[in-house]
Amino acid sequence: YLSYCLVQITLFKLDELNDLVSKADYRRHPYHLKTEEIIMALDKSESRNDKRKSSVISRQMPDYAVIVADNRKSKKCDDQPKNNNTTTSNINAHPSPPRKISSTSNPIYFLHVGKAGGTSIDSLFLGLQQLANGTEVAFDTPITELLKGKNKTYVGNLHYDWSFIQELQPMMIRGKKQKQGRPLRIQELQQVIFNGTNQQRHHHGTMNHDTDTEGFDISNNADVITFLRHPLSRAVSQFHFSKRLPWARRHNATFLHQTFEEYLDDPNKTWTQPIADGESGADFLAGIFPTDKDSWVETDQRESDFKIHLRRNKTAACLFAARRLENTTWFGIMEDMERSMKLLQVTLGLKESPVLPKENSQEKGVGNRQPSMEVGKKIEKYIPKDLWLYEYAKRLFEARWDYFMGADNCSYVPPELPPLPDFK
């Protein structure tokens, strides 16, 4: 677990880190230490701090991008099959290019980020088309035919974070509620989560120290996809979209009578969803949305020390979200729609590039306007995690584009991380 370990590197000195790796007896890069191993090592290290102050080297470790730079070399076809994900079990293993969705019968999980084109992605994968009278009808499309032919389940039409997938997928593997060849309905998803075989799972507000599903590796038995949008545009869209929601009108919410800039400048605002850091993707991928019943995003309903740590340590959350984004089988970027659909065509093995339908769009395009530079600066201070993740997503997207579509498509070069924000 790269994120948890490497954000702690500044807490260690060089000899502390060497001691951590050697005493763990795994002889692995911290990237590959399990969560519980890191926590134990950190606890032991903290208890020794006072005793070893005089022998500690004062120089800090270099940041993550420097640590892995030497090993992040291109992988040739002979070493890295294009359609297979390799597990990271040794010090030389690093993020590899994603397999194609068409190469497995794995279920497809869609991480639906709010106001980032997710409803259109659902319609695309479910074959939904809206008739003139507003009725939605499901049609057979190349994508739905692929799902049926590969016995792939599409888990969508629902907002959930990564923790939800890690809770659901082991249950599906155990054969409790696998519905092959068609999407799972929301009611079925809830039955899997709440009526699973694990009767001792912890509920709302209860601390859970069991890392059974939290550490479950879904990379080889599930295809996770997502669709991202520039966090500034998403914030504006979320604001205008929410004005149409029944709860806002029912409570005559203050923001109904404000422009977006007035909302930003309002020191007494109590509703902060448009500018909540993590809502543009970071918290979805990190799997750290609140587990209380009022959260609009489905989770595994478990609280853990690791989640609490990621919520408090934003650097850790950034790195963890980036690692999870690397584990997706496909992701698109709204601002790069044409190439996103081309990569979707490639991973699905389609003859033509799919066309993303326009669903749930703003009236008169008011929510699709780019904020002015002045307004953008005001938003930026609220959402450093999401802005950093979006920058990394663009770099990762280019790496995947070069791999699948470039002239030398036999080699994959993982991108460097952008400079991490200075969280205060």
Side-chain angles (χ1 to χ4, degrees):
Y1 285 82
L2 168 69
S3 60
Y4 193 97
C5 179
L6 293 176
V7 295
Q8 299 295 336
I9 285 178
T10 55
L11 301 179
F12 291 119
K13 309 303 179 181
L14 285 173
D15 60 341
E16 291 271 4
L17 183 62
N18 291 333
D19 187 57
L20 182 157
V21 177
S22 62
K23 288 185 177 298
D25 200 29
Y26 290 94
R27 299 184 181 279
R28 290 175 293 175
H29 192 283
Y31 185 102
H32 307 296
L33 292 177
K34 295 179 181 178
T35 305
E36 51 267 38
E37 296 165 8
I38 298 169
I39 292 175
M40 291 175 60
L42 288 173
D43 289 342
K44 291 179 181 178
S45 175
E46 289 172 2
S47 67
R48 295 195 304 268
N49 271 348
D50 292 337
K51 299 178 181 179
R52 304 182 60 183
K53 280 182 180 179
S54 60
S55 63
V56 166
I57 300 174
S58 61
R59 180 164 57 92
Q60 288 187 343
M61 287 289 290
D63 64 25
Y64 162 77
V66 177
I67 292 173
V68 301
D70 291 340
N71 290 318
R72 286 197 160 196
K73 298 177 181 178
S74 63
K75 301 173 188 267
K76 298 299 180 182
C77 289
D78 293 340
D79 303 322
Q80 181 59 50
K82 184 178 287 191
N83 289 340
N84 291 303
N85 274 354
T86 57
T87 57
T88 55
S89 59
N90 60 69
I91 194 169
N92 295 317
H94 289 285
S96 58
R99 61 181 171 267
K100 293 183 179 179
I101 292 176
S102 59
S103 68
T104 74
S105 59
N106 292 341
I108 299 173
Y109 289 91
F110 174 49
L111 279 180
H112 185 166
V113 177
K115 302 314 301 171
T119 303
S120 297
I121 294 291
D122 279 333
S123 296
L124 187 65
F125 274 83
L126 298 176
L128 298 178
Q129 296 182 24
Q130 194 171 65
L131 302 181
N133 61 4
T135 304
E136 277 193 332
V137 179
F139 292 90
D140 284 334
T141 68
I143 293 180
T144 60
E145 290 294 334
L146 170 71
L147 299 186
K148 292 177 182 178
K150 294 286 186 178
N151 284 328
K152 294 177 78 71
T153 298
Y154 176 76
V155 184
N157 265 343
L158 184 68
H159 293 281
Y160 52 81
D161 70 9
W162 198 285
S163 72
F164 179 89
I165 305 173
Q166 288 188 276
E167 178 82 353
L168 179 60
Q169 183 59 15
M171 297 180 187
M172 294 180 74
I173 291 176
R174 289 194 292 267
K176 283 301 185 182
K177 201 70 177 181
Q178 179 77 326
K179 297 291 184 180
Q180 296 281 12
R182 68 166 177 81
L184 287 173
R185 299 187 181 93
I186 292 179
Q187 294 86 347
E188 293 170 344
L189 291 172
Q190 291 172 336
Q191 288 175 9
V192 171
I193 288 295
F194 296 108
N195 299 328
T197 57
N198 185 5
Q199 298 297 324
Q200 296 181 352
R201 60 195 306 272
H202 295 258
H203 296 287
H204 306 296
T206 304
M207 185 65 68
N208 173 31
H209 298 281
D210 179 12
T211 59
D212 180 43
T213 57
E214 190 169 79
F216 180 74
D217 181 12
I218 64 172
S219 60
N220 290 322
N221 50 57
D223 292 335
V224 182
I225 65 174
T226 192
F227 203 61
L228 302 177
R229 182 180 187 179
H230 196 292
L232 300 186
S233 299
R234 199 212 69 84
V236 176
S237 181
Q238 180 73 68
F239 174 80
H240 290 289
F241 172 77
S242 298
K243 287 190 172 189
R244 297 157 45 194
L245 297 179
W247 69 264
R249 296 179 178 179
R250 185 168 58 250
H251 296 287
N252 193 27
T254 301
F255 74 90
L256 289 175
H257 314 289
Q258 294 175 322
T259 65
F260 186 63
E261 190 166 5
E262 289 171 343
Y263 163 77
L264 290 175
D265 293 336
D266 183 359
N268 299 315
K269 54 180 171 288
T270 56
W271 175 71
T272 58
Q273 186 177 0
I275 53 174
D277 202 10
E279 293 257 353
S280 290
D283 286 2
F284 283 91
L285 288 159
I288 56 174
F289 268 89
T291 55
D292 61 83
K293 63 182 180 180
D294 295 325
S295 176
W296 68 281
V297 176
E298 291 290 339
T299 71
D300 61 359
Q301 301 293 311
R302 297 171 183 242
E303 269 298 272
S304 68
D305 291 327
F306 191 60
K307 283 186 179 181
I308 293 173
H309 171 80
L310 290 180
R311 293 187 193 119
R312 292 173 178 172
N313 191 323
K314 295 183 179 181
T315 301
C318 282
L319 293 172
F320 204 59
R323 186 70 184 94
R324 290 271 176 79
L325 189 62
E326 290 175 342
N327 287 336
T328 60
T329 310
W330 172 86
F331 73 90
I333 296 177
M334 181 178 288
E335 288 76 19
D336 204 340
M337 182 69 72
E338 184 176 349
R339 292 199 301 164
S340 294
M341 291 299 102
K342 186 64 179 178
L343 286 181
L344 185 58
Q345 174 192 348
V346 171
T347 190
L348 291 174
L350 303 177
K351 294 181 179 180
E352 297 180 354
S353 183
V355 178
L356 193 67
K358 292 184 178 180
E359 303 284 354
N360 210 14
S361 58
Q362 304 287 332
E363 294 181 5
K364 300 180 181 179
V366 65
N368 297 322
R369 288 200 302 258
Q370 288 285 347
S372 66
M373 185 176 296
E374 182 181 356
V375 172
K377 290 294 184 183
K378 292 181 179 180
I379 305 173
E380 285 177 359
K381 67 180 182 181
Y382 291 103
I383 53 173
K385 282 194 309 185
D386 281 328
L387 287 170
W388 181 88
L389 180 68
Y390 184 78
E391 176 59 33
Y392 177 68
K394 291 192 295 183
R395 298 184 182 195
L396 183 60
F397 184 92
E398 292 299 335
R400 293 186 176 188
W401 178 265
D402 290 343
Y403 176 72
F404 283 113
M405 308 301 298
D408 181 20
N409 61 0
C410 282
S411 59
Y412 176 71
V413 182
E416 296 292 341
L417 292 176
L420 286 160
D422 183 17
F423 294 110
K424 297 179 180 179

